[in-house]
Amino acid sequence: MRVKCVICDTINNLDDNLPLAKKLRNRPIHTYMCGTCHDRIEKNTVARIETGNFRFYRTSPQMDKEF
């Protein structure tokens, strides 16, 4: 299966039997990101978390207070 990275537009080949290939085929909303872009974003995110100014907004602040 040919896939294209959403950030750098490189085209890679995935084995058709990989779980990622099946997920991309069955759920078109999911996008593919190459390993280089994924590592770069992960490194920048970890650096922002270490500064202490990074917050996860997975829940609302009111729910955090009640919890």
Side-chain angles (χ1 to χ4, degrees):
M1 172 180 196
R2 288 173 37 124
V3 291
K4 186 176 183 180
C5 178
V6 294
I7 296 177
C8 64
D9 293 333
T10 58
I11 297 175
N12 295 330
N13 289 320
L14 290 178
D15 184 27
D16 289 335
N17 296 325
L18 288 177
L20 178 61
K22 290 179 181 180
K23 183 171 75 170
L24 292 171
R25 222 179 7 253
N26 294 328
R27 298 185 184 117
I29 192 75
H30 289 105
T31 56
Y32 172 77
M33 192 182 324
C34 68
T36 306
C37 292
H38 185 271
D39 293 341
R40 181 172 46 100
I41 290 174
E42 181 182 20
K43 182 180 74 172
N44 291 337
T45 303
V46 169
R48 284 196 335 248
I49 290 172
E50 290 174 353
T51 63
N53 296 327
F54 185 79
R55 290 190 57 196
F56 288 102
Y57 290 105
R58 294 185 180 165
T59 60
S60 66
Q62 183 178 5
M63 289 178 67
D64 289 340
K65 289 179 186 177
E66 293 174 359
F67 184 67

